[in-house]
Amino acid sequence: QKEVEQNSGPLSVPEGAIASLNCTYSDRGSQSFFWYRQYSGKSPELIMSIYSNGDKEDGRFTAQLNKASQYVSLLIRDSQPSDSATYLCAVSLFSYGQNFVFGPGTRLSVLP
Amino acid sequence: GAVVSQHPSRVICKSGTSVKIECRSLDFQATTMFWYRQFPKQSLMLMATSNEGSKATYEQGVEKDKFLINHASLTLSTLTVTSAHPEDSSFYICSAAPRTDQETQYFGPGTRLLVL
């Protein structure tokens, strides 16, 4: 059974700090990895995708993938109160974004 | 670009009635659309994958006769909850994978269903 695990949180960080969100997955054949942000009562919005081992940076966000450890993380630099949301990790067995398995999400709270 | 709409955004219905939810990709063609359900404080659970012109593939435990999915065109998929019951009350979200960029999915705004 495919599983994606995340700490449910809440993860609280002060404004301006780095928030680190972690995700592990069980299926070693997984090929594509995504981070989504979901505000309460809203649908998820894509933050980043990553397919290869290593780091991928986009603005204040950095995704890190380690396939050997079956681990993917998201770092948010200079955290802002507007970053407060639930962050969902999604994993797909395919090299394109099909048949996601979502983690339970980590609730992030950025304190002003 | 990559906008997905859903209609209605919110619906309240009586137990036993059927409810249809539409999912449209507004500015791209989607070969594949997905339907998810999310209960409060829980993550998204994939219900089914629908490909244009073919039957939907349902996840284990999802009743295909209760949740009817029609993917009539490259821009429209519908989910009909038949004979709805209070336990079907949930947040239903669709997503679409663009035909020209299947690397990810773009989500609609969701439909909140309340069955009385």
Side-chain angles (χ1 to χ4, degrees):
Chain A
Q1 183 177 355
K2 311 179 195 60
E3 290 184 353
V4 178
E5 296 185 351
Q6 298 177 253
N7 288 328
S8 61
L11 171 66
S12 296
V13 300
E15 184 174 356
I18 295 175
S20 177
L21 305 164
N22 303 316
C23 171
T24 58
Y25 58 95
S26 63
D27 197 316
R28 198 168 276 281
S30 300
Q31 296 194 47
S32 52
F33 308 86
F34 304 84
W35 282 99
Y36 283 83
R37 176 175 60 197
Q38 186 177 26
Y39 292 110
S40 181
K42 303 294 184 182
S43 65
E45 55 180 323
L46 178 67
I47 297 177
M48 292 195 68
S49 59
I50 187 167
Y51 305 92
S52 310
N53 281 328
D55 295 0
K56 180 181 178 182
E57 186 174 317
D58 184 0
R60 296 187 296 114
F61 300 98
T62 299
Q64 299 174 318
L65 175 61
N66 184 327
K67 289 187 178 180
S69 301
Q70 295 175 237
Y71 172 92
V72 58
S73 66
L74 179 70
L75 300 178
I76 306 175
R77 289 182 298 282
D78 188 23
S79 295
Q80 302 297 309
S82 58
D83 295 326
S84 298
T86 296
Y87 288 80
L88 302 171
C89 171
V91 175
S92 173
L93 281 178
F94 301 91
S95 58
Y96 49 91
Q98 304 285 308
N99 297 100
F100 285 0
V101 176
F102 278 90
T106 297
R107 191 157 59 90
L108 172 67
S109 178
V110 180
L111 306 174
Chain B
V3 178
V4 177
S5 71
Q6 275 185 249
H7 178 80
S9 59
R10 188 182 298 266
V11 59
I12 301 173
C13 69
K14 292 182 179 180
S15 185
T17 60
S18 294
V19 175
K20 180 186 280 189
I21 302 170
E22 289 188 352
C23 176
R24 292 181 185 272
S25 55
L26 297 185
D27 51 2
F28 64 95
Q29 292 183 327
T31 308
T32 307
M33 289 186 171
F34 304 86
W35 288 95
Y36 295 85
R37 181 168 52 184
Q38 186 176 36
F39 293 106
K41 299 191 185 301
Q42 295 186 26
S43 192
L44 282 77
M45 295 299 296
L46 180 64
M47 299 175 67
T49 302
S50 109
N51 291 293
E52 185 263 340
S54 61
K55 290 184 179 180
T57 302
Y58 290 81
E59 295 299 300
Q60 193 172 6
V62 178
E63 300 175 58
K64 63 180 181 181
D65 294 330
K66 180 170 182 63
F67 299 99
L68 302 178
I69 292 172
N70 185 302
H71 193 155
S73 74
L74 287 171
T75 60
L76 173 64
S77 177
T78 60
L79 167 69
T80 301
V81 183
T82 62
S83 187
H85 288 95
E87 57 265 31
D88 298 324
S89 299
S90 187
F91 191 41
Y92 291 87
I93 309 174
C94 74
S95 70
R99 189 170 63 166
T100 55
D101 176 17
Q102 294 192 48
E103 289 189 345
T104 190
Q105 299 175 27
Y106 295 94
F107 284 83
T111 296
R112 198 162 297 281
L113 171 63
L114 176 61
V115 184
L116 303 177

